Amino acid sequence: MGNKCSTSSCGGCFGGCSGEHKASDSCCSCCGMRFRRVWKPARVDTGERGRLMAGHNPLAKPMMEMKDMDVVDAPSADVLTIKKVDMCIDENGKLHHTKRYELMTRDGQVGPPARLVVRRGQAFRLRLHCDRPFDRSRDAMSLIFTVDGEERPTHGHGSLVGVALQQYRHLIEDPLEWGAAIDFISGDMLEILVKPAATAAVTRWKLDFDTKLLSEGFGKSYSLPQSFYLLFNPWCKDDQVYLEEKPLRDECVMNDTTLIWRGSYNRLRPSVWKFGQFERHVLDCSLLLIDKVGKVSATHRGDPIRVCRAISAAVNSPDDDGALLGNWSGDFSGGTAPTKWVGSVEIMQQYYKKQKPVKFGQCWVFAGVVSTIARAIGIPSRVVTNYSSAHDTQASLTVDYFVDQNGKVMEELNSDSIWNYHVWNEVWMQRPDLGISSDGDYGGWQAIDSTPQEMSDGMFRCGPASVLAVKLGEIAKPYDNNFLFAEVNADKVFWRYTGPAHPLKLLRKDVLGIGHFISTKAVGKWEREDITSSYKFAEKSQEERDTMMKALKQANSAFSRYYLNEDFNEVYFNFELRDDIKIGENFSVILQIKNRSSEMVHVVKGSLNVETVLYTGKEREMVKSDHFTITVKPNTEEFVKLVVTFEEYFKKLRDQAAFNISCFATVEETEYEFFAQDDFRVRKPDIKIKLSDAPVSQSPVDVTISLLNPLPIPLRKGIFHVEGSGIESPLIFKHSDVAVGETITNTFSLTPEFAGRATIAAKFTSKELDDVDGFLAFEAKPRPEDVLMETSDNEIIARTDVID
């Protein structure tokens, strides 16, 4: 009695299969070469290939050894021979939204030939040019896909797939299966559709075609000379990264430039970042990082959860020689200062060439590269900034500061910190591993963070953490939800430290100080979108406090640590700081002290301090301190003013011009002590960018960039760095000296490659002034010859190579 064939597609492989085989058979004779090819462990030598293709036919002879050739002839002269394969680059690029990849735009004349880039779960087209017409009644063909670079590809691990060419298109509609079908036959040309499974590995794939006659076991083989690239598919409903909304898809997959917000919560500052996910070597570098650094096996490269977790580890370098080396020391010799990067392309190309960590990165640089990789491989992604972002090192969900009797923060005791801002990423996918919450499933935006802060499962990585789970306080959910929750929702606690033999005294508990203005680029606009409500309930709401209590219980952190001294409300303190302080100007900090008592006179002693600080909240340096004693009469208010001049702060400025102001005060004859701090940064000028004329696709246009020196001192060794659409390689303009009040200008020409949205990004650095940037978003019109017609409402219908 025969055993049923275990191959699900056996019935359609070459026709006429009975579906029954002997238990001793290593493969089914009716499937012949196709089934054996599926199960061969690797790309075997030609002798082994001939033995496999010969199958059970006792008359079959081993094939002749032929090295370095695509076509291997079998003894039968009637077997169909594939002479070449047209990858249908233009058609597939349009249908799969991949035509902008540099790999797809190569002409093969002056450089390497074009490479096919397609998306999984969706059929792509191939044209096979043969030595004779394909005969449906006597010819059979199978396609064998193997992951490029795998030493031992196997069917069970998903790195080797064999499919029979089906007669009809509807036979390849199963979204979870690979398939191939005839579309039509025209003379010696056979046009087929190939559909990778919606769960297939995202990587480079090799493709072999095996042909034979239905009546014989002999066959021929043709190998594509180059592998093709298979990406995630947010357009495919069966893909885990499917994103239904077209505007969001356009923004988070196709847009190659974004705005990243930096600064501080009281001075939100956007800067442009060029992702360049379609540029030369970027896709190859992305796959390299996932494979070699992230160590994601071919089996799991189709799982966006594992892939994104690997990306968050592979972009930093402390433990795995990833793409970027972080540096917050202020000394960037031997590399590029983080503030000088304007995009990911140069970083990715440099890493791909040398395969050593690129120097240097900080959080927004890490995040820019992460979104480049995610968009390059087809995962929707965006960059997110959280202002007053907590770095909770002890998983307590609180950020604890210890201050001495003078109100000075004791750096040696503080392991937690609050960053002026912190930048991470969101990626879009479903999360079937997390189940269902009371508010629905946990799919949608997931937070990942590649800035090396804390280890997760022994590696510097973070996420993907469901943003909904973070909002609901589900800190036990994988991955790293507790860390993300603390970043946006921790309580800030100030303790008075008077020595190891004395108890700590709680000076102040700030439940509103963490997680402000969580920002990302708005969809289709060069504006900020506030997404704070997706991470947390409204401050001061009962839901927010209930969620915090829920999270603390899950973290086994006792709320009893928040013991409070009795409130003393007769004296009120408040900072006043002008919110538009330009670099080069003096500024003042004003402390308001108000006596609310109608009877008591209060004497207040304290100090007002201004320090420069890194945006991470670390490495403070005192700029100026003022000690005061002031008497406040009943129902009156007094002000303490501290003026800081440019000469006092300039030489102590850190790389992002951030300051911390703090006040420690004691109300005499009471036990009340007040401590508060705030962050701000001085505003730097913007680079102005102007176009000489309305931009048109494939037509040069002049661009002018200019900058006014805002400092009361000259600038030395000034450099403009410019990138953008239509600029083939970064432009560098040098200005050795810029006088006080001088405006420097440069003009250059660019040619928009496509019609549609485009950007120009500029960065200026000098010895005295750096991290100055500017950008211009514009829309290039199609050339007159590309306009096919105009509708009555003036909508232009143009050629299909216009990028929208």
Side-chain angles (χ1 to χ4, degrees), residues 14 26-27 31-45 48-50 52-53 142-146 153-155 160-163 206-211 220-223:
F14 288 119
S26 61
C27 56
C31 295
M33 156 273 302
R34 184 195 67 83
F35 186 67
R36 285 183 288 279
R37 285 279 290 169
V38 169
W39 286 97
K40 74 180 180 68
R43 289 180 177 266
V44 295
D45 60 33
E48 176 67 5
R49 185 183 184 110
L52 290 174
M53 292 179 65
S142 62
L143 287 72
I144 298 90
F145 304 87
T146 53
T154 61
H155 180 77
L160 186 149
V161 179
V163 297
K206 292 184 177 180
L207 173 57
D208 293 329
F209 298 87
D210 287 348
T211 57
K220 294 183 179 181
S221 182
Y222 177 90
S223 299

Side-chain angles (χ1 to χ4, degrees), residues 177-385:
E177 296 290 342
W178 289 71
I182 298 171
D183 193 30
F184 65 86
I185 302 170
S186 176
D188 294 346
M189 190 271 290
L190 173 64
E191 193 151 323
I192 67 172
L193 298 175
V194 179
K195 184 192 67 62
T199 55
V202 171
T203 184
R204 287 184 299 271
W205 287 85
K206 292 184 177 180
L207 173 57
D208 293 329
F209 298 87
D210 287 348
T211 57
K212 60 167 286 186
L213 297 174
L214 289 172
S215 60
E216 298 183 23
F218 302 115
K220 294 183 179 181
S221 182
Y222 177 90
S223 299
L224 281 185
Q226 293 180 318
S227 55
F228 68 92
Y229 294 73
L230 188 62
L231 310 181
F232 289 99
N233 193 351
W235 285 264
C236 175
K237 293 182 178 180
D238 301 302
D239 197 309
Q240 197 171 330
V241 304
Y242 172 65
L243 181 55
E244 183 176 8
E245 300 174 44
K246 182 183 183 301
L248 195 57
R249 212 167 47 218
D250 290 344
E251 180 67 51
C252 298
V253 181
M254 299 301 292
N255 200 354
D256 69 350
T257 311
T258 194
L259 293 176
I260 299 178
W261 266 262
R262 295 193 285 142
S264 58
Y265 79 93
N266 48 19
R267 161 105 354 240
L268 278 61
R269 176 195 172 199
S271 56
V272 72
W273 188 268
K274 177 73 179 294
F275 290 130
Q277 67 267 36
F278 307 117
E279 302 293 328
R280 181 172 54 93
H281 297 324
V282 170
L283 179 55
D284 280 307
C285 185
S286 301
L287 296 177
L288 172 72
L289 285 165
I290 294 166
D291 178 13
K292 303 301 182 184
V293 182
K295 293 181 171 56
V296 182
S297 68
T299 306
H300 297 121
R301 272 178 238 160
D303 180 357
I305 299 172
R306 289 180 185 252
V307 168
C308 288
R309 187 152 172 78
I311 292 172
S312 76
V315 169
N316 63 62
S317 63
D319 49 8
D320 54 14
D321 288 331
L324 272 165
L325 179 63
N327 184 347
W328 287 265
S329 71
D331 179 7
F332 304 116
S333 55
T336 300
T339 52
K340 292 185 178 180
W341 298 115
V342 295
S344 305
V345 176
E346 191 175 350
I347 295 170
M348 298 284 282
Q349 290 176 345
Q350 186 176 328
Y351 182 83
Y352 186 68
K353 180 179 180 180
K354 299 181 179 180
Q355 296 192 24
K356 292 181 180 180
V358 177
K359 301 175 182 179
F360 295 102
Q362 291 181 3
C363 67
W364 73 95
V365 183
F366 287 110
V369 173
V370 165
S371 274
T372 293
I373 296 172
R375 293 186 184 194
I377 64 174
I379 298 176
S381 175
R382 61 188 184 182
V383 178
V384 173
T385 301

Side-chain angles (χ1 to χ4, degrees), residues 10 27 40 91 177 181 217 257 282 305 417 596 602 653 683:
C10 178
C27 56
K40 74 180 180 68
E91 295 169 60
E177 296 290 342
T257 311
V282 170
I305 299 172
S417 61
R596 294 171 171 171
H602 288 294
L653 273 181
R683 181 167 69 85

Side-chain angles (χ1 to χ4, degrees), residues 10 13-19 21 27-33 56 212:
C10 178
C13 55
F14 288 119
C17 177
S18 64
H21 318 282
C27 56
C28 76
S29 58
C30 63
C31 295
M33 156 273 302
H56 300 289
K212 60 167 286 186

Side-chain angles (χ1 to χ4, degrees), residues 749-767:
S749 178
L750 68 81
T751 303
E753 185 177 358
F754 299 102
R757 294 175 297 177
T759 55
I760 302 169
K763 178 80 70 173
F764 177 83
T765 58
S766 69
K767 289 286 187 181

Side-chain angles (χ1 to χ4, degrees), residues 147-165:
V147 171
D148 194 358
E150 281 289 289
E151 291 185 5
R152 293 184 174 274
T154 61
H155 180 77
H157 289 166
S159 55
L160 186 149
V161 179
V163 297
L165 183 65

